[in-house]
């Protein structure tokens, strides 16, 4: 697979591809025209990253209620987010990895909403037989997964990157609140947080919003 094939599979323009992987735009142009050839190790890294990005680009719209699907336990029927997530896990299967707002609940960074309907996960597509389940991807690196009380969830850096990648369909209140908590619990610092280069500019704006979150 050459660079152009990689880019078109993602549906990116040359400038979007360059920004996504923090590659100079002129370099992408030179690679595609054959003026220059990327080193083999760069090709291998890009192919690995693109395969994961393609698998994990699962949806661009939120699911609506479907009466033909099964319902998950209601958040309002449980005291505490973890009790509810354990019940959801029991429906979806023990290998499900919670993501985004649900991961933030597992981390203790967000309490969720009493009318929670959307559940974000990494899992196989069979879990979409339940209403409200959004599959971000069918696989995730174990290095990005934490486990507590038998519940698996993405770590904070992966949760942050997933939030920025899915911002167009995500209510950002949870991640903004979580980043704010992180900042003030780490001596007013974002040290330890990292995002992919293509999301760095957006993260900086989100960080500014997070700093002001509890002061407004």
């Amino acid at each position: 697979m050459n660079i152009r094939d990689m880019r078109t599979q993602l549906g990116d323009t040359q400038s979007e591809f360059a920004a996504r992987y923090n590659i100079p735009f002129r370099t992408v142009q030179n690679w595609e025209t054959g003026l220059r050839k990327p080193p083999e190790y760069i090709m291998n890294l890009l192919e690995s990253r693109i395969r994961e990005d393609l698998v994990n680009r699962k949806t661009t719209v939120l699911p609506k209620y479907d009466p033909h699907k099964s319902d998950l336990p209601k958040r309002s029927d449980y005291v505490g987010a973890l009790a509810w997530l354990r019940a959801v896990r029991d429906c979806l299967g023990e290998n499900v990895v919670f993501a985004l707002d649900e991961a933030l609940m597992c981390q203790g960074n967000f309490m969720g909403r009493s009318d929670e309907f959307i559940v974000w996960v990494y899992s196989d597509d069979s879990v979409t037989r339940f209403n409200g389940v959004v599959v971000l991807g069918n696989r995730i690196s174990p290095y990005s997964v934490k486990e507590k009380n038998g519940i698996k969830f993405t770590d904070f850096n992966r949760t942050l990157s997933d939030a920025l990648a899915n911002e167009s369909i995500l209510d950002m209140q949870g991640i903004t609140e979580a980043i704010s908590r992180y900042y003030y619990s780490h001596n007013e610092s974002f040290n330890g947080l990292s995002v992919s280069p293509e999301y760095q500019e957006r993260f900086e704006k989100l960080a500014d919003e997070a700093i002001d979150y509890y002061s407004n």
Side-chain angles (χ1 to χ4, degrees):
M1 187 163 52
N2 59 37
I3 294 295
R4 187 178 185 282
D5 289 340
M6 294 181 186
R7 176 176 63 78
T8 54
Q9 281 195 47
L10 288 165
D12 285 353
T13 64
Q14 287 184 336
S15 60
E16 288 169 341
F17 186 87
R20 180 191 293 271
Y21 299 114
N22 198 30
I23 302 169
F25 173 69
R26 181 63 66 183
T27 298
V28 173
Q29 283 188 318
N30 289 341
W31 285 348
E32 289 201 9
T33 59
L35 188 62
R36 295 185 184 279
K37 184 177 180 180
E40 185 176 353
Y41 78 94
I42 292 290
M43 287 293 292
N44 291 337
L45 286 172
L46 277 173
E47 285 188 7
S48 176
R49 177 74 183 276
I50 288 166
R51 279 196 299 270
E52 181 170 332
D53 285 351
L54 284 169
V55 167
N56 292 337
R57 292 179 62 180
K58 301 296 293 186
T59 185
T60 57
V61 294
L62 295 179
K64 295 182 179 179
Y65 186 82
D66 183 345
H68 298 101
K69 291 186 176 183
S70 300
D71 291 338
L72 289 171
K74 292 181 179 179
R75 172 70 177 86
S76 57
D77 290 341
Y78 291 82
V79 177
L82 290 182
W84 172 62
L85 288 172
R86 278 193 290 269
V88 172
R89 178 210 56 200
D90 290 344
C91 292
L92 301 183
E94 63 180 13
N95 290 325
V96 69
V97 176
F98 290 110
L100 293 176
D101 283 357
E102 282 63 46
L104 295 176
M105 294 179 204
C106 294
Q107 297 158 14
N109 289 318
F110 183 55
M111 295 302 102
R113 308 166 184 84
S114 62
D115 61 346
E116 206 80 48
F117 173 67
I118 299 298
V119 175
W120 307 87
V121 300
Y122 284 93
S123 185
D124 60 65
D125 291 336
S126 69
V127 297
T128 59
R129 67 187 184 276
F130 289 94
N131 271 306
V133 176
V134 179
V135 176
L136 290 184
N138 297 136
R139 66 171 182 259
I140 183 172
S141 168
Y143 297 108
S144 296
V145 177
K146 301 290 185 181
E147 184 170 348
K148 180 169 62 177
N149 299 324
I151 301 175
K152 296 176 183 178
F153 54 95
T154 55
D155 64 23
F156 193 69
N157 276 324
R158 182 54 182 257
T159 306
L160 175 57
S161 292
D162 282 343
L164 294 170
N166 292 279
E167 185 173 6
S168 63
I169 56 173
L170 177 67
D171 181 341
M172 295 294 281
Q173 178 190 346
I175 195 66
T176 303
E177 181 178 321
I179 294 172
S180 184
R181 286 174 180 266
Y182 186 98
Y183 176 78
Y184 288 108
S185 64
H186 287 75
N187 298 317
E188 299 188 0
S189 168
F190 292 117
N191 289 340
L193 294 187
S194 62
V195 297
S196 301
E198 62 265 32
Y199 302 129
Q200 187 61 44
E201 183 177 353
R202 178 62 189 109
F203 169 69
E204 291 172 2
K205 294 178 181 177
L206 185 61
D208 288 340
E209 297 170 11
I211 290 171
D212 295 334
Y213 185 81
Y214 283 109
S215 61
N216 292 335

